[in-house]
Coordinates of all heavy atoms in Angstrom, one line a residue:
M153 N 160.4 52.4 135.3 CA 160.5 50.9 135.3 C 159.5 50.4 134.3 O 158.4 50.7 134.3 CB 160.2 50.4 136.7 CG 160.6 49.2 137.2 SD 160.8 47.6 137.1 CE 159.2 47.0 137.5
T154 N 160.0 49.5 133.4 CA 159.1 49.0 132.4 C 158.2 47.9 132.9 O 158.7 47.1 133.8 CB 159.9 48.4 131.2 OG1 160.8 47.5 131.7 CG2 160.6 49.5 130.4
E155 N 157.0 47.8 132.4 CA 156.0 46.8 132.9 C 156.1 45.5 132.0 O 156.2 45.7 130.8 CB 154.6 47.4 132.8 CG 153.6 46.8 133.7 CD 152.3 47.6 133.7 OE1 152.1 48.4 132.7 OE2 151.5 47.5 134.6
N156 N 156.0 44.3 132.6 CA 155.9 43.1 131.9 C 154.5 42.7 131.8 O 153.6 43.1 132.5 CB 156.7 42.0 132.6 CG 158.2 42.2 132.5 OD1 158.8 42.1 131.5 ND2 158.8 42.7 133.6
C157 N 154.2 41.8 130.8 CA 152.8 41.5 130.5 C 152.0 41.0 131.7 O 150.9 41.3 131.9 CB 152.7 40.5 129.4 SG 153.5 38.9 129.7
W158 N 152.7 40.1 132.5 CA 152.0 39.6 133.7 C 151.6 40.6 134.7 O 150.6 40.5 135.4 CB 152.8 38.4 134.3 CG 154.2 38.8 134.7 CD1 154.6 39.3 135.9 CD2 155.3 38.6 133.9 NE1 155.9 39.5 135.8 CE2 156.4 39.0 134.7 CE3 155.6 38.0 132.7 CZ2 157.7 39.0 134.2 CZ3 156.9 38.0 132.2 CH2 157.9 38.4 132.9
E159 N 152.4 41.7 134.8 CA 152.1 42.8 135.7 C 150.9 43.6 135.1 O 150.0 44.0 135.8 CB 153.3 43.7 135.9 CG 154.4 43.0 136.6 CD 155.8 43.6 136.3 OE1 156.0 44.1 135.1 OE2 156.7 43.4 137.1
F160 N 150.9 43.9 133.8 CA 149.8 44.6 133.2 C 148.5 43.8 133.2 O 147.5 44.4 133.5 CB 150.2 44.9 131.7 CG 149.2 45.7 130.9 CD1 149.2 47.1 131.0 CD2 148.3 45.1 130.1 CE1 148.3 47.9 130.2 CE2 147.4 45.8 129.3 CZ 147.4 47.2 129.4
M161 N 148.6 42.6 132.8 CA 147.4 41.7 132.7 C 146.9 41.2 134.0 O 145.8 40.6 134.1 CB 147.6 40.6 131.7 CG 147.9 41.0 130.3 SD 146.5 41.7 129.6 CE 146.9 41.5 127.8
K162 N 147.9 41.2 135.0 CA 147.5 40.6 136.3 C 147.0 39.2 136.2 O 146.0 38.8 136.8 CB 146.5 41.5 137.1 CG 147.1 42.9 137.4 CD 146.2 43.8 138.2 CE 146.8 45.1 138.6 NZ 147.6 45.8 137.5
C163 N 147.7 38.4 135.3 CA 147.2 37.1 135.0 C 147.5 36.0 136.1 O 147.0 35.0 136.1 CB 147.8 36.7 133.7 SG 149.6 36.5 133.7
G164 N 148.5 36.4 136.9 CA 148.9 35.4 137.9 C 149.7 34.2 137.4 O 149.9 33.2 138.1
R165 N 150.2 34.3 136.2 CA 150.9 33.2 135.6 C 152.4 33.4 135.7 O 153.2 32.8 135.0 CB 150.6 33.1 134.1 CG 149.2 32.7 133.8 CD 149.0 31.3 134.0 NE 147.7 30.8 133.6 CZ 147.3 29.5 133.5 NH1 148.2 28.6 133.8 NH2 146.1 29.2 133.2
D166 N 152.8 34.3 136.7 CA 154.2 34.5 137.0 C 154.7 33.8 138.2 O 155.8 34.1 138.7 CB 154.5 36.0 137.1 CG 153.6 36.6 138.3 OD1 152.7 35.9 138.7 OD2 154.0 37.7 138.8
G167 N 153.9 32.8 138.6 CA 154.3 32.1 139.8 C 153.7 32.7 141.1 O 154.0 32.2 142.2
S168 N 153.0 33.8 140.9 CA 152.5 34.5 142.2 C 151.3 33.7 142.8 O 150.8 34.1 143.9 CB 152.0 35.9 141.8 OG 151.0 35.9 140.8
N169 N 150.8 32.7 142.1 CA 149.8 31.8 142.7 C 149.9 30.4 142.2 O 150.9 30.1 141.5 CB 148.3 32.4 142.5 CG 148.0 32.4 141.1 OD1 148.5 31.6 140.3 ND2 147.1 33.3 140.7
N170 N 148.9 29.6 142.5 CA 149.1 28.1 142.2 C 149.0 27.7 140.7 O 149.1 26.6 140.4 CB 148.1 27.3 143.0 CG 148.4 27.5 144.5 OD1 149.6 27.8 144.8 ND2 147.4 27.3 145.3
Q171 N 148.8 28.7 139.9 CA 148.7 28.4 138.4 C 150.0 28.1 137.8 O 151.0 28.6 138.2 CB 148.0 29.5 137.7 CG 146.6 29.8 138.2 CD 145.9 30.8 137.3 OE1 145.5 30.5 136.2 NE2 145.9 32.1 137.7
S172 N 150.0 27.3 136.7 CA 151.3 27.0 136.1 C 151.9 28.2 135.5 O 151.1 29.2 135.1 CB 151.1 25.9 135.0 OG 149.9 26.2 134.3
I173 N 153.2 28.3 135.4 CA 153.9 29.5 135.0 C 153.9 29.5 133.4 O 154.2 28.5 132.8 CB 155.3 29.5 135.6 CG1 155.2 29.6 137.1 CG2 156.1 30.7 135.0 CD1 156.5 29.6 137.8
C174 N 153.7 30.7 132.9 CA 153.6 30.9 131.5 C 155.0 31.0 130.8 O 155.9 31.5 131.4 CB 152.8 32.2 131.2 SG 152.7 32.7 129.5
P175 N 155.1 30.5 129.6 CA 156.4 30.5 128.9 C 156.9 31.9 128.7 O 158.2 32.1 128.7 CB 156.1 29.9 127.5 CG 154.9 29.1 127.7 CD 154.1 29.7 128.8
A176 N 156.1 32.9 128.7 CA 156.6 34.3 128.6 C 157.4 34.7 129.8 O 158.3 35.5 129.7 CB 155.4 35.3 128.5
V177 N 157.1 34.1 130.9 CA 157.8 34.4 132.2 C 159.2 33.7 132.2 O 160.2 34.3 132.8 CB 157.0 34.0 133.4 CG1 157.7 34.2 134.7 CG2 155.6 34.6 133.4
T178 N 159.3 32.6 131.5 CA 160.5 31.8 131.7 C 161.4 31.8 130.4 O 162.6 31.4 130.5 CB 160.1 30.3 132.0 OG1 159.2 29.9 130.9 CG2 159.5 30.2 133.3
D179 N 161.0 32.3 129.3 CA 161.7 32.2 128.1 C 162.9 33.2 128.1 O 162.8 34.3 127.6 CB 160.8 32.5 126.8 CG 161.5 32.1 125.6 OD1 162.8 32.0 125.5 OD2 160.8 31.9 124.5
S180 N 164.1 32.7 128.5 CA 165.2 33.6 128.7 C 165.9 34.0 127.4 O 166.6 35.0 127.3 CB 166.3 32.9 129.5 OG 166.6 31.6 128.9
R181 N 165.5 33.4 126.3 CA 166.0 33.8 125.0 C 165.5 35.2 124.6 O 166.1 35.9 123.8 CB 165.5 32.8 123.8 CG 166.1 31.4 124.0 CD 165.3 30.5 123.0 NE 163.9 30.6 123.2 CZ 163.0 30.1 122.4 NH1 163.4 29.5 121.3 NH2 161.7 30.2 122.7
A182 N 164.4 35.6 125.2 CA 163.8 36.9 124.9 C 164.2 38.0 125.9 O 163.7 39.1 125.9 CB 162.3 36.7 124.9
N183 N 165.1 37.6 126.9 CA 165.4 38.5 128.0 C 165.9 39.9 127.4 O 166.7 39.9 126.5 CB 166.4 37.9 128.9 CG 166.5 38.6 130.2 OD1 165.4 39.1 130.7 ND2 167.6 38.8 130.8
K184 N 165.4 41.0 128.0 CA 165.8 42.3 127.7 C 165.2 42.9 126.4 O 165.4 44.0 126.0 CB 167.3 42.5 127.7 CG 167.9 42.3 129.1 CD 169.3 42.9 129.2 CE 169.7 43.0 130.6 NZ 170.5 41.8 131.0
V185 N 164.5 42.0 125.6 CA 163.8 42.5 124.4 C 162.7 43.5 124.8 O 161.9 43.2 125.7 CB 163.3 41.3 123.5 CG1 162.5 41.9 122.4 CG2 164.4 40.4 123.0
N186 N 162.7 44.7 124.2 CA 161.8 45.7 124.5 C 161.9 46.1 126.0 O 160.9 46.5 126.6 CB 160.4 45.4 124.1 CG 160.2 45.2 122.6 OD1 160.8 45.9 121.9 ND2 159.3 44.3 122.3
R187 N 163.1 45.9 126.6 CA 163.4 46.2 128.0 C 162.6 45.3 129.0 O 162.3 45.8 130.1 CB 163.3 47.7 128.3 CG 164.2 48.6 127.4 CD 164.0 50.0 127.7 NE 162.6 50.5 127.3 CZ 162.0 51.5 127.9 NH1 162.6 52.1 128.9 NH2 160.8 51.9 127.5
G188 N 162.3 44.1 128.5 CA 161.5 43.3 129.4 C 162.3 42.2 130.1 O 163.5 42.0 129.8
R189 N 161.6 41.5 131.1 CA 162.2 40.3 131.7 C 161.8 39.1 131.0 O 160.6 38.9 130.8 CB 161.8 40.3 133.2 CG 162.5 39.2 134.0 CD 162.6 39.5 135.5 NE 161.3 39.6 136.1 CZ 160.6 38.5 136.7 NH1 161.1 37.3 136.5 NH2 159.5 38.7 137.3
N190 N 162.7 38.3 130.5 CA 162.4 37.2 129.6 C 161.4 37.6 128.5 O 161.6 38.7 127.9 CB 162.0 36.0 130.4 CG 163.1 35.5 131.2 OD1 164.3 35.8 131.0 ND2 162.9 34.8 132.3
G191 N 160.3 36.9 128.3 CA 159.4 37.3 127.2 C 158.3 38.3 127.6 O 157.3 38.4 126.9
G192 N 158.5 38.9 128.8 CA 157.5 39.8 129.4 C 157.1 41.0 128.5 O 156.0 41.6 128.8
R193 N 157.9 41.4 127.6 CA 157.6 42.6 126.7 C 157.7 42.2 125.3 O 157.9 43.0 124.4 CB 158.4 43.8 127.0 CG 158.0 44.4 128.4 CD 158.9 45.6 128.8 NE 158.8 46.8 128.0 CZ 157.9 47.7 128.1 NH1 156.9 47.6 129.0 NH2 157.9 48.8 127.3
V194 N 157.6 40.9 125.0 CA 157.5 40.4 123.6 C 156.7 39.1 123.6 O 156.9 38.2 122.8 CB 158.9 40.2 123.0 CG1 159.7 39.1 123.7 CG2 158.9 40.1 121.5
C195 N 155.7 39.0 124.5 CA 155.0 37.8 124.7 C 154.2 37.3 123.5 O 154.0 36.1 123.3 CB 154.0 38.0 125.9 SG 153.1 39.5 125.8
W196 N 153.9 38.2 122.6 CA 153.2 37.9 121.4 C 154.0 36.9 120.5 O 153.5 36.2 119.6 CB 152.8 39.1 120.6 CG 153.9 40.1 120.4 CD1 154.8 40.0 119.4 CD2 154.2 41.1 121.2 NE1 155.7 41.0 119.6 CE2 155.4 41.7 120.7 CE3 153.7 41.6 122.4 CZ2 156.0 42.8 121.3 CZ3 154.3 42.7 123.0 CH2 155.4 43.3 122.5
A197 N 155.3 37.0 120.7 CA 156.2 36.2 119.9 C 156.7 34.9 120.6 O 157.4 34.1 120.0 CB 157.5 37.0 119.5
V198 N 156.2 34.7 121.8 CA 156.5 33.5 122.6 C 155.5 32.4 122.3 O 154.3 32.7 122.5 CB 156.6 33.8 124.1 CG1 156.9 32.6 124.9 CG2 157.7 34.9 124.3
D199 N 155.9 31.2 121.9 CA 154.9 30.2 121.6 C 154.3 29.6 123.0 O 155.0 29.6 124.0 CB 155.6 29.0 120.9 CG 156.0 29.3 119.5 OD1 155.5 30.4 119.0 OD2 156.7 28.5 118.9
G200 N 153.0 29.3 122.9 CA 152.4 28.5 124.0 C 152.1 29.4 125.2 O 152.0 28.8 126.3
T201 N 151.9 30.7 125.1 CA 151.5 31.5 126.3 C 150.1 31.2 126.7 O 149.3 30.6 125.9 CB 151.7 33.0 125.9 OG1 151.0 33.3 124.7 CG2 153.1 33.4 125.8
F202 N 149.7 31.7 127.9 CA 148.4 31.3 128.5 C 147.4 32.4 128.5 O 146.5 32.4 129.3 CB 148.7 30.8 129.9 CG 149.5 29.6 130.1 CD1 150.2 29.4 131.2 CD2 149.6 28.6 129.1 CE1 151.0 28.3 131.4 CE2 150.3 27.5 129.2 CZ 151.1 27.3 130.4
C203 N 147.5 33.4 127.7 CA 146.6 34.5 127.8 C 145.2 34.0 127.6 O 144.9 33.0 126.9 CB 146.9 35.6 126.7 SG 148.1 36.7 127.3
A204 N 144.3 34.7 128.2 CA 142.8 34.4 128.1 C 142.6 33.0 128.7 O 141.6 32.3 128.3 CB 142.3 34.5 126.7
G205 N 143.5 32.5 129.5 CA 143.2 31.3 130.3 C 143.4 30.0 129.5 O 143.0 28.9 129.9
R206 N 143.9 30.1 128.2 CA 144.2 28.9 127.4 C 145.5 29.0 126.7 O 146.0 30.1 126.4 CB 143.0 28.6 126.5 CG 142.7 29.6 125.5 CD 141.6 29.3 124.6 NE 141.4 30.3 123.6 CZ 142.1 30.4 122.5 NH1 143.1 29.6 122.2 NH2 141.9 31.4 121.6
V207 N 146.0 27.8 126.3 CA 147.3 27.8 125.6 C 147.1 28.5 124.2 O 146.2 28.0 123.5 CB 147.9 26.4 125.5 CG1 149.2 26.4 124.7 CG2 148.2 25.9 126.9
Q208 N 147.8 29.5 123.9 CA 147.6 30.3 122.7 C 148.2 29.8 121.4 O 147.9 30.3 120.4 CB 148.1 31.7 123.0 CG 147.3 32.5 124.0 CD 145.9 32.9 123.5 OE1 145.7 33.0 122.3 NE2 145.0 33.0 124.4
G209 N 149.1 28.8 121.5 CA 149.7 28.3 120.3 C 150.9 29.0 119.8 O 151.5 29.7 120.6
T210 N 151.3 28.9 118.6 CA 152.5 29.4 118.0 C 152.3 30.9 117.7 O 151.2 31.4 117.6 CB 152.9 28.7 116.8 OG1 151.9 29.0 115.8 CG2 153.1 27.2 117.0
Y211 N 153.5 31.5 117.4 CA 153.5 33.0 117.0 C 152.5 33.2 115.8 O 151.7 34.1 115.8 CB 154.9 33.3 116.6 CG 155.1 34.7 116.0 CD1 154.7 35.8 116.7 CD2 155.5 34.8 114.7 CE1 154.8 37.1 116.1 CE2 155.6 36.0 114.1 CZ 155.3 37.2 114.8 OH 155.4 38.4 114.2
A212 N 152.6 32.3 114.8 CA 151.8 32.4 113.6 C 150.3 32.3 114.0 O 149.5 33.0 113.4 CB 152.2 31.3 112.6
E213 N 150.0 31.4 114.9 CA 148.6 31.1 115.2 C 148.0 32.3 116.0 O 146.8 32.6 115.9 CB 148.5 29.9 116.1 CG 148.6 28.6 115.2 CD 148.9 27.4 116.1 OE1 149.4 27.5 117.2 OE2 148.6 26.3 115.6
K214 N 148.8 33.0 116.8 CA 148.2 34.0 117.7 C 148.5 35.4 117.2 O 148.1 36.4 117.9 CB 148.7 33.8 119.1 CG 150.1 33.9 119.4 CD 150.5 33.6 120.8 CE 151.8 34.2 121.1 NZ 152.1 34.2 122.6
V215 N 149.1 35.6 116.1 CA 149.5 36.9 115.6 C 148.3 37.9 115.5 O 148.4 39.1 115.9 CB 150.4 36.9 114.3 CG1 149.5 36.5 113.1 CG2 151.2 38.1 114.1
L216 N 147.2 37.4 115.0 CA 146.0 38.3 114.9 C 145.5 38.7 116.2 O 145.2 39.9 116.5 CB 144.9 37.6 114.1 CG 145.2 37.6 112.5 CD1 144.0 36.9 111.8 CD2 145.3 39.1 112.1
I217 N 145.3 37.7 117.2 CA 144.8 38.0 118.5 C 145.7 39.1 119.2 O 145.3 40.1 119.7 CB 144.8 36.8 119.4 CG1 143.9 35.7 118.8 CG2 144.3 37.1 120.8 CD1 144.1 34.3 119.5
C218 N 147.0 38.8 119.1 CA 148.0 39.7 119.8 C 148.1 41.1 119.2 O 148.4 42.1 119.8 CB 149.3 39.1 119.9 SG 149.3 37.5 120.8
S219 N 147.7 41.2 117.9 CA 147.8 42.5 117.2 C 146.8 43.5 117.8 O 146.9 44.7 117.7 CB 147.6 42.3 115.7 OG 146.3 41.9 115.5
E220 N 145.8 42.9 118.5 CA 144.7 43.8 119.1 C 144.9 44.0 120.6 O 144.1 44.6 121.3 CB 143.3 43.2 118.8 CG 143.0 43.3 117.3 CD 141.8 42.4 116.9 OE1 141.1 41.9 117.9 OE2 141.6 42.2 115.7
C221 N 146.0 43.4 121.1 CA 146.2 43.4 122.6 C 146.7 44.8 123.1 O 147.6 45.4 122.5 CB 147.3 42.4 122.9 SG 147.7 42.5 124.7
P222 N 146.0 45.4 124.1 CA 146.3 46.7 124.6 C 147.8 46.7 125.2 O 148.5 47.7 125.1 CB 145.3 46.9 125.7 CG 144.7 45.6 126.0 CD 144.8 44.8 124.8
F223 N 148.2 45.6 125.7 CA 149.6 45.6 126.2 C 150.6 45.7 125.1 O 151.6 46.4 125.2 CB 149.9 44.3 127.0 CG 151.3 44.2 127.6 CD1 151.7 45.1 128.6 CD2 152.2 43.3 127.0 CE1 153.0 45.0 129.0 CE2 153.5 43.3 127.5 CZ 153.9 44.1 128.5
R224 N 150.4 45.0 124.0 CA 151.3 45.1 122.8 C 151.4 46.5 122.3 O 152.4 47.0 122.1 CB 150.8 44.1 121.7 CG 151.8 44.0 120.6 CD 151.3 43.2 119.5 NE 152.2 43.2 118.4 CZ 152.3 44.4 117.7 NH1 151.7 45.5 118.0 NH2 153.1 44.4 116.6
H225 N 150.2 47.2 122.3 CA 150.2 48.6 121.8 C 151.0 49.4 122.8 O 151.7 50.3 122.4 CB 148.7 49.1 121.7 CG 148.0 48.3 120.6 ND1 146.6 48.5 120.4 CD2 148.4 47.5 119.7 CE1 146.2 47.7 119.4 NE2 147.3 47.1 118.9
K226 N 150.8 49.2 124.1 CA 151.5 50.0 125.1 C 153.0 49.8 124.9 O 153.8 50.8 124.9 CB 151.1 49.4 126.5 CG 151.8 50.0 127.7 CD 151.3 49.4 129.0 CE 152.2 49.4 130.1 NZ 152.6 50.7 130.6
V227 N 153.5 48.6 124.7 CA 154.9 48.4 124.5 C 155.4 49.1 123.3 O 156.5 49.7 123.3 CB 155.3 46.8 124.4 CG1 156.7 46.6 124.1 CG2 154.9 46.1 125.8
Q228 N 154.6 49.0 122.2 CA 155.0 49.6 120.9 C 155.1 51.2 121.1 O 156.1 51.8 120.7 CB 154.0 49.3 119.9 CG 154.5 49.7 118.5 CD 153.8 49.0 117.4 OE1 152.8 48.3 117.6 NE2 154.2 49.1 116.2
E229 N 154.2 51.7 121.9 CA 154.3 53.2 122.1 C 155.5 53.5 123.0 O 156.2 54.5 122.7 CB 153.0 53.7 122.9 CG 151.8 54.0 122.0 CD 150.5 54.0 122.7 OE1 150.5 54.4 123.9 OE2 149.5 53.5 122.2
E230 N 155.7 52.7 124.0 CA 156.9 53.0 124.9 C 158.2 52.8 124.2 O 159.2 53.6 124.5 CB 156.7 52.1 126.2 CG 155.6 52.5 127.1 CD 155.3 51.6 128.2 OE1 155.9 50.5 128.2 OE2 154.5 51.9 129.1
E231 N 158.3 51.8 123.4 CA 159.6 51.5 122.8 C 159.9 52.3 121.5 O 161.0 52.4 121.0 CB 159.7 50.0 122.5 CG 159.6 49.1 123.7 CD 160.6 49.5 124.8 OE1 161.8 49.6 124.5 OE2 160.1 49.8 125.9
R232 N 158.9 52.9 120.9 CA 159.0 53.7 119.7 C 159.9 53.0 118.6 O 159.6 51.9 118.3 CB 159.5 55.1 120.1 CG 158.5 55.8 121.0 CD 159.1 57.1 121.5 NE 158.1 57.8 122.4 CZ 157.2 58.6 122.0 NH1 157.1 59.0 120.7 NH2 156.3 59.2 122.8
T233 N 160.9 53.7 118.2 CA 161.8 53.2 117.1 C 162.6 52.0 117.6 O 163.0 51.2 116.7 CB 162.8 54.3 116.7 OG1 163.5 54.8 117.8 CG2 162.0 55.5 116.0
K234 N 162.7 51.8 118.8 CA 163.5 50.6 119.3 C 162.6 49.3 119.5 O 163.1 48.3 119.9 CB 164.1 50.9 120.7 CG 165.2 52.0 120.6 CD 166.1 51.9 121.8 CE 167.2 53.0 121.6 NZ 167.0 54.1 122.6
F235 N 161.3 49.5 119.1 CA 160.4 48.4 119.3 C 160.8 47.2 118.5 O 161.1 47.3 117.3 CB 158.9 48.8 118.9 CG 157.9 47.7 118.9 CD1 157.5 47.2 120.1 CD2 157.5 47.1 117.8 CE1 156.5 46.2 120.2 CE2 156.5 46.1 117.8 CZ 156.1 45.6 119.0
R236 N 160.8 46.0 119.1 CA 161.1 44.7 118.4 C 159.8 43.9 118.4 O 159.3 43.5 119.4 CB 162.2 44.0 119.0 CG 163.6 44.7 118.7 CD 164.8 44.0 119.3 NE 164.9 42.7 118.8 CZ 165.7 41.8 119.3 NH1 166.4 42.1 120.4 NH2 165.7 40.5 118.8
Q237 N 159.4 43.4 117.2 CA 158.3 42.6 117.0 C 158.6 41.1 117.4 O 157.7 40.4 117.9 CB 157.8 42.6 115.5 CG 156.8 41.6 115.0 CD 155.4 41.9 115.5 OE1 155.1 43.1 115.9 NE2 154.6 40.9 115.5
I238 N 159.8 40.7 117.1 CA 160.2 39.3 117.4 C 161.6 39.3 118.0 O 162.3 40.3 118.0 CB 160.1 38.4 116.2 CG1 161.0 38.9 115.0 CG2 158.7 38.2 115.7 CD1 161.1 38.0 113.9
Y239 N 162.0 38.2 118.6 CA 163.3 38.0 119.2 C 164.1 36.9 118.6 O 165.2 36.6 119.0 CB 163.1 37.9 120.7 CG 162.4 36.6 121.1 CD1 163.1 35.4 121.4 CD2 161.1 36.6 121.2 CE1 162.5 34.3 121.7 CE2 160.4 35.4 121.6 CZ 161.1 34.3 121.8 OH 160.5 33.1 122.2
F240 N 163.5 36.2 117.7 CA 164.1 35.0 117.1 C 164.4 35.3 115.6 O 163.8 36.1 115.0 CB 163.3 33.8 117.2 CG 161.8 34.0 116.8 CD1 161.5 34.0 115.5 CD2 160.9 34.2 117.8 CE1 160.1 34.2 115.2 CE2 159.6 34.4 117.5 CZ 159.2 34.4 116.1
K241 N 165.4 34.5 115.1 CA 165.7 34.7 113.7 C 164.7 33.9 112.9 O 164.3 32.8 113.2 CB 167.1 34.2 113.4 CG 168.2 35.1 114.1 CD 169.5 35.0 113.4 CE 170.5 36.0 114.0 NZ 170.4 36.3 115.4
I242 N 164.3 34.5 111.7 CA 163.3 33.8 110.9 C 164.1 32.9 109.9 O 165.1 33.4 109.3 CB 162.4 34.8 110.1 CG1 161.5 35.4 111.1 CG2 161.6 34.1 109.0 CD1 160.4 36.2 110.6
Ligands
SF4_1254 S1 151.6 36.0 127.9 FE1 149.6 36.4 128.9 S2 149.3 34.7 130.3 FE2 151.5 34.7 129.8 S3 152.4 35.9 131.4 FE3 151.9 37.3 129.7 S4 149.9 38.2 130.2 FE4 150.2 36.3 131.5

């Protein structure tokens, strides 16, 4: 079973507590990308996510932060040649 970012980070932004739900959890356009639920395995490409407890901004704004994220590396290793960096058309 593949892990989604909120399970790996245990951020609680998946509705499991009183905090507001992160766009990575609800963005259905990204569903099944990298075998994830909604944006759960492509969260670096979802605008406005809540990592590190603050709104992270757009894909362009957070690309450097996310490039160092252990979860992103994990997904890249697990997906190998099927790994997708983004889910939207440029
Ligand atoms: S993007 Fe970050 S804050 Fe949002 S659900 Fe994933 S781990 Fe949690």
Side-chain angles (χ1 to χ4, degrees):
M153 206 305 284
T154 55
E155 203 173 20
N156 290 287
C157 59
W158 54 87
E159 294 153 335
F160 180 86
M161 296 292 202
K162 298 184 176 39
C163 62
R165 293 282 184 172
D166 60 341
S168 59
N169 64 26
N170 296 335
Q171 295 189 78
S172 43
I173 297 179
C174 178
V177 178
T178 55
D179 193 341
S180 57
R181 295 168 306 166
N183 198 39
K184 296 202 168 90
V185 173
N186 297 325
R187 299 178 297 153
R189 186 153 62 87
N190 293 341
R193 287 175 68 83
V194 67
C195 46
W196 49 87
V198 177
D199 290 351
T201 50
F202 296 152
C203 275
R206 61 179 180 81
V207 178
Q208 291 288 337
T210 65
Y211 171 63
E213 287 165 334
K214 60 184 199 168
V215 73
L216 280 180
I217 300 167
C218 298
S219 67
E220 291 164 14
C221 174
F223 178 70
R224 188 185 170 294
H225 294 171
K226 174 181 158 58
V227 175
Q228 192 158 8
E229 275 162 33
E230 290 171 351
E231 299 309 306
R232 296 175 181 268
T233 53
K234 293 199 178 110
F235 176 73
R236 287 184 57 193
Q237 169 75 19
I238 56 173
Y239 63 91
F240 46 80
K241 294 204 171 32
I242 293 191

